[in-house]
Amino acid sequence: MKVLVTVKRVIDPYVKVRVKSDGTGVETANVKMAMNPFCEIAVEQAVRMKEAGIVTEIVVVSVGTQQSQETLRTAMAMGADRGILVEVAGEAQPLAVAKLVKAIVDKEQPKLVIMGKQAIDDDSNQAGQMTAALLGWPQSAFTSAIAVNGDTADVTREIDGGLEKLTIKLPAVVTTDLRLNEPRYVTLPNIMKAKKKPLEVLKPEALGVDVTPRLKTIKVEEPAKRSAGVKVADVQELVAKLKNEARVI
């Protein structure tokens, strides 16, 4: 079966994020970028399913600027067969991304869509659920295990109360959680091979989707700096501070 995987280019998770001086957003100029960690897990899952003989083709899709081609090449170096970039100059909000993914799904007809549960830049956790709603497909969010059995998939979901096991019909949308797998290291030979794999670039207009932002960011601020901790001499002093200063008891 064919699997479609979405990937996003974000600020490297190990880079300290800085807010712009005018408060309009975070600084991305001259900042190291990488594939969203949850998207790496999604690609890894698709590749493992292909190695197991369940999947025949992996198509990776990204919505973003021209630089997102690097992210797609990384996904192809991990094992994806080809890539599709929907080139958007400005911000692509979750609903617009979901509409674009739906349009590509209508074109590619995959049996399974695997997405990261959220991107570490905006932390929206919306695109996967919106995509499933637009397609009218079953979904499994926060997935930590998946096993495909013909036209169904047995999934395990991370929920507040523990784990939930479900059987969903295919085609379906699955969003990945951290415990699903550990992404592989991309080797240099595979990076070189990925440069020869096909990568298609599309515009939102070609897919009939309006990506005009519906939401406006008023201001971005850094969190307030935490005050330094203090040492107490004994339990009595601790209780006194909790009672009189913190007022939590």
Side-chain angles (χ1 to χ4, degrees):
M1 68 177 185
K2 182 190 292 187
V3 170
L4 189 143
V5 183
T6 60
V7 296
K8 186 177 183 181
R9 184 174 185 261
V10 299
I11 295 176
D12 189 284
Y14 300 104
V15 171
K16 180 176 173 56
V17 176
R18 294 179 291 111
V19 175
K20 292 180 180 178
S21 57
D22 58 3
T24 57
V26 297
E27 188 60 66
T28 56
N30 300 317
V31 175
K32 184 181 179 183
M33 307 295 281
M35 187 190 302
N36 178 49
F38 291 103
C39 297
E40 283 187 307
I41 294 170
V43 175
E44 176 66 25
Q45 185 61 32
V47 174
R48 291 188 183 189
M49 292 169 71
K50 185 177 180 183
E51 291 172 344
I54 300 169
V55 171
T56 55
E57 184 182 23
I58 302 170
V59 182
V60 283
V61 178
S62 187
V63 177
T65 61
Q66 189 176 7
Q67 287 80 1
S68 295
Q69 291 189 29
E70 300 172 11
T71 308
L72 289 169
R73 292 293 180 193
T74 300
M76 287 188 276
M78 290 176 68
D81 297 294
R82 56 189 175 92
I84 300 174
L85 171 63
V86 183
E87 194 171 341
V88 177
E91 179 187 11
Q93 295 181 349
L95 181 58
V97 172
K99 289 180 178 179
L100 291 169
V101 173
K102 178 190 180 298
I104 293 174
V105 168
D106 291 340
K107 175 185 174 186
E108 294 289 337
Q109 295 295 308
K111 202 169 183 179
L112 183 66
V113 175
I114 308 178
M115 307 173 73
K117 72 170 184 178
Q118 64 196 79
I120 62 170
D121 50 4
D122 56 19
D123 268 341
S124 293
N125 180 25
Q126 294 177 344
Q129 291 87 330
M130 288 178 171
T131 301
L134 291 171
L135 288 167
W137 286 7
Q139 63 173 307
S140 171
F142 317 112
T143 306
S144 59
I146 178 171
V148 174
N149 302 304
D151 290 331
T152 63
D154 297 325
V155 296
T156 302
R157 298 182 57 239
E158 303 271 346
I159 60 174
D160 292 339
L163 299 175
E164 180 183 41
K165 295 188 176 182
L166 300 171
T167 298
I168 57 175
K169 291 184 178 180
L170 300 180
V173 176
V174 170
T175 68
T176 61
D177 213 322
L178 281 173
R179 280 160 287 276
L180 181 59
N181 61 54
E182 185 175 342
R184 68 193 62 197
Y185 178 76
V186 180
T187 62
L188 183 59
N190 286 333
I191 292 174
M192 301 306 293
K193 290 177 183 177
K195 292 182 179 180
K196 298 180 180 179
K197 292 183 179 180
L199 196 161
E200 183 181 6
V201 180
L202 302 172
K203 294 289 186 181
E205 297 78 22
L207 297 170
V209 177
D210 178 14
V211 295
T212 305
R214 265 66 171 178
L215 305 174
K216 181 180 179 182
T217 301
I218 305 299
K219 190 177 183 181
V220 178
E221 296 179 343
E222 290 189 13
K225 293 188 177 181
R226 297 176 64 182
S227 57
V230 295
K231 290 184 178 181
V232 294
D234 50 37
V235 174
Q236 287 75 16
E237 185 182 352
L238 173 62
V239 173
K241 285 184 175 293
L242 291 174
K243 185 176 181 180
N244 301 323
E245 296 180 17
R247 298 184 183 279
V248 295
I249 59 174

